[in-house]
Amino acid sequence: MARDLAVSPESFEEILAWLSANREIAATKYVQLRHDLAKIFIWRGCNDPEGLTDEVFDRVAKKVHEIRATYEGDPRLYFRAVANNLIKETLKQGKTHVPLESLNLPQQSIDTDERKEEALKILEACIEELSATERQLVLRYYLLEKHDRQKLSTDLAISYETLRVRVHRIRQRLKRKIERKMQIT
């Protein structure tokens, strides 16, 4: 699922404050909520539970300043309601999509090897535009197996969720850069 919004620090702080006035309790609730939402998406058979969880937080971040003051009850219920709406949207999209294998498309005249080589050059150029820290982080992350990524987060003294979110945001910026450069060429 394409994501255009990165949660601003202010919105993130407001989400934490909404979850609990105590910073430590809010952080614990945040991590547990991410875990619970991902489980919901897995149970409902969604393909990208982590991406959908990020989307829920993005959507809530857009509205948290409006709803926080008037919302009554446990804020986690609001997140779950947003997740349920997202599941409905995802299922609706799934019904309108047709697998590519079932289509009889004409062969493209573009040489795919040349296109792949061009895309690889653009990717390498975009990676070089990242800061050294970001480049090292994203390359290390994707070269590691999942269980080693957890060790990487420990080495960096951050939670696994924080590591995953940082890498996801870098990946999204890379994707936008690549798409812009592919349109130019």
Side-chain angles (χ1 to χ4, degrees):
M1 171 162 284
R3 297 178 59 226
D4 295 329
L5 175 72
V7 176
S8 71
E10 296 81 21
S11 294
F12 181 72
E13 290 297 326
E14 197 161 353
I15 287 172
L16 288 178
W18 190 27
L19 291 173
S20 176
N22 181 314
R23 181 87 171 160
E24 288 183 29
I25 293 172
T28 302
K29 284 184 176 182
Y30 172 81
V31 171
Q32 185 61 46
L33 182 58
R34 286 194 67 82
H35 177 73
D36 293 346
L37 292 174
K39 271 187 167 178
I40 289 169
F41 291 122
I42 290 168
W43 291 333
R44 295 296 301 270
C46 298
N47 289 333
D48 184 14
E50 290 180 357
L52 291 170
T53 300
D54 289 340
E55 179 68 21
V56 168
F57 277 92
D58 286 350
R59 289 182 182 193
V60 172
K62 286 181 184 178
K63 299 218 175 227
V64 69
H65 62 280
E66 297 171 19
I67 58 174
R68 181 176 171 213
T70 58
Y71 187 84
E72 294 182 15
D74 188 350
R76 293 175 294 187
L77 297 175
Y78 184 84
F79 283 86
R80 290 184 182 128
V82 172
N84 285 330
N85 289 337
L86 191 55
I87 289 168
K88 290 175 187 174
E89 290 174 26
T90 304
L91 293 175
K92 188 183 289 185
Q93 286 175 352
K95 291 178 182 176
T96 62
H97 286 51
V98 177
L100 290 176
E101 297 81 33
S102 66
L103 298 175
N104 292 325
L105 298 174
Q107 293 295 325
Q108 292 184 350
S109 61
I110 299 173
D111 184 6
T112 57
D113 288 338
E114 286 179 18
R115 189 76 174 147
K116 286 179 184 177
E117 188 174 317
E118 177 187 0
L120 185 58
K121 286 180 183 176
I122 290 172
L123 172 63
E124 289 172 349
C126 290
I127 289 174
E128 287 300 317
E129 291 175 11
L130 294 174
S131 71
T133 305
E134 289 177 327
R135 184 173 46 251
Q136 181 183 14
L137 177 65
V138 78
L139 292 174
R140 284 180 66 192
Y141 182 86
Y142 284 110
L143 289 173
L144 295 173
E145 296 292 326
K146 186 170 183 172
H147 63 277
D148 293 327
R149 291 176 183 167
Q150 300 236 346
K151 184 180 179 326
L152 175 61
S153 69
T154 304
D155 293 345
L156 296 172
I158 58 175
S159 71
Y160 178 68
E161 287 80 15
T162 301
L163 172 64
R164 197 183 55 71
V165 168
R166 283 184 189 170
V167 170
H168 176 77
R169 289 181 180 157
I170 294 168
R171 188 180 74 218
Q172 290 302 313
R173 282 197 348 255
L174 275 173
K175 180 181 176 187
R176 287 190 296 272
K177 285 181 180 185
I178 291 167
E179 287 171 351
R180 280 193 303 268
K181 289 185 179 193
M182 292 291 284
Q183 288 175 351
I184 294 171
T185 59

